[in-house]
Amino acid sequence: MKAVTWQGKRDVRVEDVPDPRIEEPTDAVIRVTSTGLCGSDLHLYEVLTPFMTPGDILGHEPMGIVEEVGPGVPDLAAGDRVVVPFQIACGNCWMCLTGLPTQCETTQVTGEGMGAALFGYTRLYGAVPGGQAEYLRVPQAQFGPIKVPEGPPDDRFVYLSDVLPTAWQAVEYAGVPPGGTLAVLGLGPIGDMSCRIAKARGAERVFGVDLVAERLARAARDGVETYDLRAFDDEKALVNAIRDETGGRGPDAVIDAVGTEAHGSAAAKLAQTATGLLPRKLSGPLAERFSIDRLGALYMAIDLVRRGGTISLSGVYGGMADPMPMLTLFDKQIQLRVGQANVRRWTDLIMPYLTDEDPLGVEDFATHRLPLSEAPHAYEMFQRKQDGAIKVLMQP
């Protein structure tokens, strides 16, 4: 089959790889019909290269048709249409039953000290072959795959794999009170969808911050009060502008939907780049023990949120030596909620929004649809923010 493989920094290729097969009783194999390109994939493309191995199959936002199931998967059958969550979880362990499948005790990558295994996402999360491929082996298929009805286009449901539950959890963790205010830093796919969900769930005012014109315009069309970072002399001026709109206090909650790609410390960027250039035997251990992030978005969130407010962090960070302004967090009594989205915890709550009325605008959420064969171009376009690329879907 054809699959998108990682070969090095900014080097992905579509190659022939062996077809997946049933290996465990709880496996399924699906034929992929749509698969997303996620901002998190760009971390593998650029920042987290020390944890990758040439030939790794990328992607964690697939949906498709079940081709085969193992004997331990009673609720799926060949021909079922399913969305596959990005995390692999059993549904039966203490963590899963507590609503934390990202910490699944069956699939935890204990050798790396990490939580549940993820599709297509570095050796830290199990090096499980990903979903940017013609076919995908799905472990723990007795719990993970989400059956969806025939008829509507893939765009209606594919975002249940990641974007929708990640944005839903970001809003849930933000805890915006009824009629409250929310700022979202970063209007990529997660930030954009977080704005839509927050408004649908009753936030009175939503402020969106970015520096990409197409993202700002798209959010503004949906009623978000947008702020272009480039229009201010510095970040403090932007913070003050939003405070002026919230009685001088700042918003009740801030979602950081940017993560380590934030514009910020040049020294941190240099350290990330230098680590990626080292030989693999050195770069991995150094990145694990001494890695630092570009924390511009998180620092802005801490400055911006009102005293006693909440920061919900959905952007990916990977640093182990990040400096945190603990005095400010303590003094402002800021609540900080973080973590990978617990996909199956939220999907039943999200499904009522995936109707013909399309209140979240999922069916025109993708800005680009490309064949899988053009994945190298898709990655480059998305990483460089060219051609208005905000969300890319690929079809094998």
Side-chain angles (χ1 to χ4, degrees):
M1 69 169 183
K2 299 290 186 183
V4 180
T5 64
W6 185 92
Q7 298 298 333
K9 185 174 181 178
R10 299 183 189 171
D11 183 3
V12 300
R13 305 174 194 173
V14 179
E15 296 190 322
D16 288 308
V17 301
D19 289 351
R21 57 184 179 82
I22 300 292
E23 298 178 16
E24 300 289 341
T26 52
D27 286 352
V29 173
I30 72 163
R31 174 175 55 84
V32 178
T33 56
S34 291
T35 185
L37 176 54
C38 178
S40 297
D41 293 323
L42 296 184
H43 294 99
L44 312 182
Y45 193 65
E46 182 78 26
V47 177
L48 298 180
T49 57
F51 305 113
M52 299 295 291
T53 301
D56 283 349
I57 299 175
L58 300 173
H60 58 269
E61 297 186 352
M63 71 173 292
I65 306 299
V66 175
E67 293 282 305
E68 184 180 2
V69 297
V73 185
D75 297 325
L76 287 183
D80 285 344
R81 188 186 192 197
V82 296
V83 180
V84 180
F86 69 87
Q87 67 212 200
I88 302 168
C90 72
N92 295 313
C93 70
W94 187 90
M95 285 290 182
C96 286
L97 294 174
T98 307
L100 295 170
T102 54
Q103 311 304 325
C104 176
E105 293 169 316
T106 300
T107 73
Q108 276 182 16
V109 187
T110 54
E112 299 289 349
M114 306 301 278
L118 308 180
F119 286 103
Y121 215 77
T122 82
R123 65 172 174 79
L124 296 178
Y125 288 100
V128 181
Q132 291 173 5
E134 292 181 309
Y135 294 90
L136 175 69
R137 171 181 166 254
V138 182
Q140 303 298 327
Q142 81 288 347
F143 175 68
I146 305 158
K147 286 199 281 190
V148 297
E150 296 293 336
D154 280 7
D155 293 49
R156 174 85 60 91
F157 303 113
V158 67
Y159 304 115
L160 287 168
S161 60
D162 183 350
V163 173
L164 282 166
T166 297
W168 187 279
Q169 180 172 293
V171 174
E172 183 74 19
Y173 280 10
V176 183
T181 55
L182 171 70
V184 178
L185 307 183
L187 296 173
I190 302 302
D192 186 343
M193 186 57 72
S194 295
C195 292
R196 299 182 189 200
I197 290 171
K199 290 180 69 65
R201 294 181 62 181
E204 182 175 339
R205 300 180 72 182
V206 177
F207 308 99
V209 178
D210 208 296
L211 42 66
V212 179
E214 292 87 353
R215 293 179 175 184
L216 291 159
R218 173 162 145 141
R221 287 195 298 269
D222 292 326
V224 177
E225 300 174 51
T226 55
Y227 289 78
D228 187 339
L229 188 58
R230 299 167 301 177
F232 295 85
D233 292 336
D234 52 35
E235 292 178 359
K236 188 67 176 179
L238 185 150
V239 167
N240 288 334
I242 297 178
R243 279 185 183 156
D244 288 344
E245 295 295 320
T246 55
R249 291 183 297 273
D252 296 307
V254 177
I255 293 174
D256 172 1
V258 180
T260 193
E261 286 195 324
H263 291 255
S265 166
K269 181 179 181 182
L270 179 62
Q272 289 175 348
T273 302
T275 301
L277 294 175
L278 291 171
R280 292 183 58 80
K281 288 184 179 181
L282 295 176
S283 62
L286 284 174
E288 286 182 67
R289 295 183 60 191
F290 303 114
S291 59
I292 57 177
D293 292 297
R294 302 171 71 190
L295 296 172
L298 181 55
Y299 289 158
M300 183 190 292
I302 293 169
D303 192 18
L304 177 59
V305 71
R306 68 162 171 82
R307 290 178 178 272
T310 301
I311 294 173
S312 173
L313 199 160
S314 64
V316 174
Y317 287 95
M320 292 290 283
D322 290 331
M324 288 290 287
M326 295 305 298
L327 174 62
T328 303
L329 287 168
F330 180 83
D331 178 66
K332 292 185 70 174
Q333 294 186 245
I334 294 171
Q335 300 178 74
L336 181 62
R337 300 200 67 183
V338 305
Q340 301 274 12
N342 297 287
V343 175
R344 291 307 304 267
R345 180 175 180 176
W346 310 119
T347 49
D348 287 347
L349 297 174
I350 296 168
M351 286 295 283
Y353 289 85
L354 305 183
T355 62
D356 289 342
E357 289 74 27
D358 196 14
L360 299 179
V362 292
E363 292 197 15
D364 61 358
F365 191 68
T367 55
H368 293 72
R369 295 171 180 81
L370 299 171
L372 191 71
S373 59
E374 295 185 24
H377 168 63
Y379 270 81
E380 182 179 15
M381 174 180 63
F382 191 37
Q383 195 267 343
R384 295 185 178 182
K385 300 177 176 62
Q386 296 173 334
D387 193 31
I390 298 173
K391 186 61 184 179
V392 180
L393 292 180
M394 296 182 287
Q395 283 81 35

